[in-house]
Amino acid sequence: MNICEQCGYHLKMSSSDRIELSIDPGTWDPMDEDMFSLDPIDFHSEEEPYKDRIDSYQKKTGLTEAIQTGIGQLNGIPVAIGVMDFQFMGGSMGSVVGEKITRLI
């Protein structure tokens, strides 16, 4: 369960790990995996261009955005879930994250 047996500390989990732990095997059907952020306002940060940051986090995490959405089963019960991933820009909620949550609902 990703808990240190010595101290009880909860270890970090990726969104993929959480989905695998929660959803019945073979039932996960992801939604909107092809959606990704653009930079329509040409946002500039002091660190690096926004588009470069997005590209970097996509490569680092293997995700296109800070949330994974989909349907599956939890103990045989059909569910629709969205799982944020802090490893993707601290779980930053941009327009795509909001759109994916809206579509999930």
Side-chain angles (χ1 to χ4, degrees):
M1 300 296 283
N2 268 14
I3 300 172
C4 176
E5 294 179 7
Q6 305 300 321
C7 67
Y9 178 79
H10 290 262
L11 305 172
K12 294 179 183 178
M13 290 182 78
S14 69
S15 56
S16 297
D17 291 340
R18 189 161 304 278
I19 290 165
E20 185 177 335
L21 178 70
S22 303
I23 300 300
D24 297 346
T27 67
W28 178 245
D29 185 15
M31 298 170 57
D32 302 313
E33 289 184 301
D34 57 345
M35 293 180 71
F36 56 91
S37 291
L38 301 175
D39 188 10
I41 62 171
D42 199 26
F43 181 75
H44 293 283
S45 76
E46 294 179 13
E47 300 167 13
E48 63 182 317
Y50 183 72
K51 182 65 179 136
D52 292 347
R53 289 182 68 202
I54 293 289
D55 292 342
S56 172
Y57 280 101
Q58 286 174 339
K59 290 175 186 161
K60 176 182 169 184
T61 64
L63 302 172
T64 57
E65 265 301 326
I67 191 169
Q68 291 193 65
T69 57
I71 57 174
Q73 292 185 15
L74 177 60
N75 295 325
I77 300 168
V79 295
I81 66 169
V83 182
M84 297 292 291
D85 199 314
F86 188 79
Q87 296 175 69
F88 195 103
M89 291 179 62
S92 178
M93 184 173 176
S95 61
V96 172
V97 170
E99 180 67 21
K100 289 180 77 168
I101 290 170
T102 302
R103 290 180 180 198
L104 178 66
I105 293 167

